[in-house]
Amino acid sequence: FEVEVKKNLVGDGNDLFLDGGFVVPESNAFGQTFRDYDAESERKKSVEEFYRMQHIHQSFDFVKNMREEYGKLDRVEMSIWECCELLNEFIDESDPDLDEPQIEHLLQTAEAIRRDYPNEDWLHLVGLIHDLGKVLLHKKFGELPQWAVVGDTFPVGCGYDESIVHNKYLEQNPDYNNPAFNTKYGIYSERCGLNNVMMTWGHDDYMYLVAKENKTTLPSAGLFIIRYHSFYPLHKSGAYKYLMNDEDDKNLKWLHVFNKYDLYSKSKERVDVEKVKPYYLSLIKKYFPEKLRW
């Protein structure tokens, strides 16, 4: 079947026209449907254990402390491409669809977007860099456990939505019975804007901080995609929309487009890294400084 996606001819990151294009594969690398956390795959038990650990430990205080610590960006200075190469060492334990090194997935995503949206070069680059925050797994970045780096994200500081995967384990989180945090809005207010909402800590939020603090010239939609591409309760189930403001509404359209490529480009089709490298180096130069603080 086909997902209705067409090349966007307007480059401001706001307007979106859907009209045929991207063909979704029928099954993931393991032969199951995508994001099926109940499928009896070889990864099922490890994925569930991952989410048990994430849900227990990702409290409001934990997230606050991690943002303060890693927001200093005082660990390494390196280029975007150097970071891409670092990711070759890791496989994401939270992902039921993927067992390839990360740089393969990054380039598969970017190249699929590039084919369908040739004029939106910022979106190609977001495809390449959206997962670079996974360097938090590396020893240079503290070798954080996978539950503090990958997996679906969701807000902390307010009530948990039932769409959160393996949500039964959230009952063991210290915030679960905290009256300041366990109501619908918690510490937030209606339409306060996602930029004012604390999300579970991981590679999304970290790469957002890296891009923002290094003065990227990516459009607002690009930063939104980087920060919320793992926020599946929102873009898959429509949860937490009551926290979004007008700018979030516009950017969510782009996240829906991006997410199809992020999710469904996980395939066995290999990308010739050296062939496409010059193009992506040119995009990096356009939107980022040569060296970034991480």
Side-chain angles (χ1 to χ4, degrees), residues 13-49:
N14 290 331
D15 297 317
L16 189 63
F17 303 97
L18 305 178
D19 183 29
F22 186 63
V23 179
V24 176
E26 292 183 1
S27 63
N28 64 19
F30 299 96
Q32 282 101 28
T33 54
F34 286 90
R35 290 184 59 79
D36 186 349
Y37 290 95
D38 297 318
E40 292 297 333
S41 76
E42 59 198 79
R43 303 280 304 277
K44 179 185 175 183
K45 288 184 178 178
S46 63
V47 169
E48 182 166 352
E49 175 59 18

Side-chain angles (χ1 to χ4, degrees), residues 21-223:
F22 186 63
V23 179
V24 176
E26 292 183 1
S27 63
N28 64 19
F30 299 96
Q32 282 101 28
T33 54
F34 286 90
R35 290 184 59 79
D36 186 349
Y37 290 95
D38 297 318
E40 292 297 333
S41 76
E42 59 198 79
R43 303 280 304 277
K44 179 185 175 183
K45 288 184 178 178
S46 63
V47 169
E48 182 166 352
E49 175 59 18
F50 164 88
Y51 278 109
R52 187 182 75 85
M53 295 296 289
Q54 186 209 46
H55 292 350
I56 291 172
H57 295 294
Q58 288 267 7
S59 66
F60 182 87
D61 285 344
F62 172 79
V63 171
K64 185 170 178 287
N65 291 336
M66 296 302 277
R67 288 194 107 235
E68 289 174 358
E69 174 65 25
Y70 282 90
K72 297 172 185 175
L73 302 181
D74 60 357
R75 294 180 177 265
V76 180
E77 278 201 9
M78 63 178 170
S79 69
I80 291 282
W81 194 265
E82 286 171 326
C83 188
C84 290
E85 292 178 334
L86 268 186
L87 286 192
N88 265 343
E89 301 175 28
F90 305 111
I91 291 174
D92 185 338
E93 288 179 3
S94 74
D95 195 331
D97 300 318
L98 187 68
D99 65 352
E100 297 288 354
Q102 291 298 313
I103 197 168
E104 295 274 339
H105 165 55
L106 298 179
L107 285 169
Q108 285 170 349
T109 303
E111 284 292 280
I113 294 170
R114 184 181 174 190
R115 283 193 298 268
D116 286 356
Y117 291 80
N119 299 321
E120 308 297 340
D121 65 357
W122 64 271
L123 195 57
H124 313 166
L125 182 57
V126 170
L128 177 70
I129 70 172
H130 71 284
D131 275 348
L132 292 193
K134 290 179 182 179
V135 293
L136 291 172
L137 296 166
H138 198 276
K139 57 188 177 184
K140 290 182 180 178
F141 293 82
E143 215 165 359
L144 294 182
Q146 291 243 351
W147 59 260
V149 180
V150 297
D152 291 11
T153 61
F154 49 88
V156 294
C158 62
Y160 300 122
D161 190 82
E162 62 182 13
S163 64
I164 297 170
V165 63
H166 292 305
N167 59 68
K168 62 185 177 184
Y169 297 117
L170 289 165
E171 295 178 14
Q172 300 175 54
N173 189 291
D175 294 347
Y176 187 80
N177 293 311
N178 186 332
F181 296 148
N182 63 10
T183 62
K184 178 179 178 179
Y185 292 104
I187 62 173
Y188 310 116
S189 58
E190 187 171 7
R191 303 284 290 176
C192 64
L194 292 181
N195 197 44
N196 295 307
V197 174
M198 295 264 276
M199 303 291 293
T200 47
W201 175 252
H203 72 280
D204 304 58
D205 212 24
Y206 179 59
M207 188 60 206
Y208 165 77
L209 291 174
V210 169
K212 181 170 172 283
E213 296 305 317
N214 282 282
K215 311 298 184 189
T216 182
T217 55
L218 285 171
S220 170
L223 287 171

Side-chain angles (χ1 to χ4, degrees), residues 259-284:
N259 182 246
K260 295 180 179 73
Y261 294 88
D262 183 23
L263 175 59
Y264 296 117
S265 62
K266 297 168 184 175
S267 70
K268 293 297 185 182
E269 182 181 340
R270 308 305 289 265
V271 176
D272 185 337
V273 176
E274 291 306 312
K275 182 179 178 182
V276 301
K277 182 177 178 180
Y279 174 69
Y280 289 100
L281 288 178
S282 73
L283 296 188
I284 292 167

